[in-house]
Coordinates of all heavy atoms in Angstrom, one line a residue:
M1 N 25.2 22.8 28.7 CA 24.0 23.5 29.0 C 23.3 22.8 30.2 O 23.1 21.6 30.1 CB 23.0 23.5 27.8 CG 22.1 24.6 27.7 SD 21.0 24.4 26.3 CE 21.6 25.6 25.1
G253 N 3.3 34.9 17.9 CA 3.1 35.1 19.3 C 1.8 34.7 19.8 O 1.5 34.6 21.0
S254 N 0.8 34.5 18.9 CA -0.6 34.4 19.4 C -0.8 33.0 20.1 O -1.4 33.0 21.2 CB -1.6 34.6 18.3 OG -2.0 33.4 17.7
P491 N 10.5 -0.4 -5.8 CA 10.1 -0.4 -4.4 C 8.5 -0.3 -4.3 O 8.0 -0.1 -3.3 CB 10.7 0.9 -3.9 CG 10.9 1.7 -5.1 CD 11.0 0.9 -6.3
E492 N 7.9 -0.5 -5.5 CA 6.4 -0.4 -5.5 C 5.9 -1.2 -6.7 O 6.7 -1.4 -7.7 CB 6.0 1.1 -5.7 CG 6.5 1.7 -7.0 CD 6.4 3.2 -7.0 OE1 5.5 3.8 -6.4 OE2 7.3 3.8 -7.6
E533 N -2.7 -9.6 -12.6 CA -1.6 -9.3 -13.5 C -1.2 -7.8 -13.2 O -2.1 -7.0 -13.0 CB -2.0 -9.4 -14.9 CG -0.9 -9.5 -15.9 CD -1.3 -9.5 -17.3 OE1 -2.5 -9.9 -17.6 OE2 -0.5 -9.0 -18.1
Y608 N 27.1 -7.9 -4.2 CA 27.9 -7.7 -5.4 C 28.6 -9.0 -5.8 O 29.2 -9.7 -4.9 CB 28.9 -6.6 -5.2 CG 29.9 -6.5 -6.3 CD1 29.6 -5.7 -7.4 CD2 31.1 -7.1 -6.3 CE1 30.5 -5.6 -8.5 CE2 32.0 -7.0 -7.3 CZ 31.7 -6.2 -8.4 OH 32.6 -6.1 -9.5
E667 N -0.6 -16.6 24.4 CA -2.0 -17.2 24.3 C -2.9 -16.1 23.9 O -2.9 -15.0 24.5 CB -2.4 -17.8 25.6 CG -1.9 -19.2 25.8 CD -3.1 -20.1 26.1 OE1 -4.2 -19.7 25.9 OE2 -2.8 -21.2 26.5
L680 N -18.4 -24.2 16.4 CA -17.1 -24.1 15.7 C -16.0 -23.6 16.6 O -14.9 -24.0 16.6 CB -17.2 -23.1 14.5 CG -16.0 -22.9 13.6 CD1 -15.6 -24.2 12.9 CD2 -16.2 -21.8 12.6
I734 N -31.6 -26.0 23.2 CA -32.9 -26.2 23.9 C -34.0 -26.6 22.9 O -35.0 -27.2 23.3 CB -33.3 -25.0 24.8 CG1 -33.2 -23.7 24.0 CG2 -32.5 -24.9 26.0 CD1 -33.6 -22.4 24.8

Side-chain angles (χ1 to χ4, degrees):
M1 208 182 253
S254 96
E492 63 197 323
E533 199 189 330
Y608 172 84
E667 274 237 11
L680 181 67
I734 50 181

